[in-house]
Amino acid sequence: MAARTLAQFTITTDAEGDYVLHLEDEDGETMEFTASYEQLDLIVEAIEEQLDTDEEDMLGVDDDEDADTEEKE
């Protein structure tokens, strides 16, 4: 099964105070997921970690170079 392309998403709250993620693909099909605050927080952390990793890879950032730059300042 091929991955679908995300077209848009929304996050709302339900009557119980949980969050509802609405994920819509490029064909207009929407899937809904209920998540707690803690689950959304973990999703945010995972996204940030992935983006940080991708940014370092794209920019060619090396932790050793960062340390050398900070020591010179």
Side-chain angles (χ1 to χ4, degrees):
M1 179 176 178
R4 300 179 202 185
T5 300
L6 181 65
Q8 65 180 354
F9 71 94
T10 58
I11 302 172
T12 58
T13 53
D14 63 14
E16 289 82 37
D18 286 325
Y19 297 92
V20 181
L21 286 74
H22 309 264
L23 305 175
E24 183 178 328
D25 70 12
E26 59 190 357
D27 296 327
E29 184 176 339
T30 301
M31 296 176 22
E32 294 183 359
F33 298 90
T34 301
S36 67
Y37 178 91
E38 291 79 16
Q39 289 171 316
L40 279 186
D41 194 43
L42 289 172
I43 292 169
V44 168
E45 287 179 17
I47 291 170
E48 287 176 342
E49 288 174 13
Q50 185 63 52
L51 290 177
D52 287 347
T53 299
D54 291 349
E55 180 180 45
E56 290 171 5
D57 290 346
M58 292 180 79
L59 297 176
V61 175
D62 183 6
D63 289 337
D64 292 336
E65 290 178 17
D66 288 344
D68 291 343
T69 303
E70 289 175 7
E71 288 175 9
K72 292 179 184 176
E73 292 178 4

